[in-house]
Amino acid sequence: MRVQPHVCPHCRASFQLRALLKRHMQFTCKMNPRAAVFQCDLCSYKSMYKANVERHVRNVHDRGSVKFRCDLCNFRSKYRSCVRRHMKTFHEQNYAAMPEADTE
């Protein structure tokens, strides 16, 4: 007897367990229109959590506190760790080629 996988109706990803599908749809499916409830008023950033959007606004749009910038795009933050995480996530090849920066 073959177990039928549980398929996401938004992105067609399949999971052996219904609980894994539910978690995927709630937290990780980028195609689910209800996954991102809160949106930044200043750009297209969305999150399921209001606190993430508030942190995003402080780190990205609060120009008075911006200290660190991405060399490859217009991302900026008041925290070096946020810029490094951004580099690792969005500019992975360039990040891997970077010399080791000073620690925070």
Side-chain angles (χ1 to χ4, degrees), residues 1-4 16:
M1 182 168 96
R2 186 165 182 240
V3 176
Q4 292 293 326
Q16 292 297 322

Side-chain angles (χ1 to χ4, degrees), residues 68 78-85 100-104:
F68 302 99
K78 63 181 177 179
Y79 302 109
R80 178 182 288 135
S81 61
C82 289
V83 174
R84 291 186 61 77
R85 182 179 60 229
E100 194 62 33
D102 54 347
T103 57
E104 296 177 43

Side-chain angles (χ1 to χ4, degrees), residues 17-67:
L17 301 174
R18 183 183 303 245
L20 294 177
L21 169 63
K22 184 177 177 183
R23 186 169 70 185
H24 162 78
M25 288 177 59
Q26 187 175 12
F27 296 109
T28 59
C29 182
K30 303 296 183 201
M31 305 291 285
N32 185 351
R34 291 178 288 158
V37 177
F38 300 98
Q39 181 170 351
C40 175
D41 293 332
L42 304 170
C43 72
S44 61
Y45 177 82
K46 294 179 184 179
S47 176
M48 288 177 33
Y49 304 103
K50 183 178 179 183
N52 286 354
V53 175
E54 291 170 346
R55 181 177 62 235
H56 161 81
V57 170
R58 281 193 315 271
N59 290 340
V60 176
H61 300 297
D62 184 6
R63 291 191 179 267
S65 63
V66 170
K67 295 178 183 175

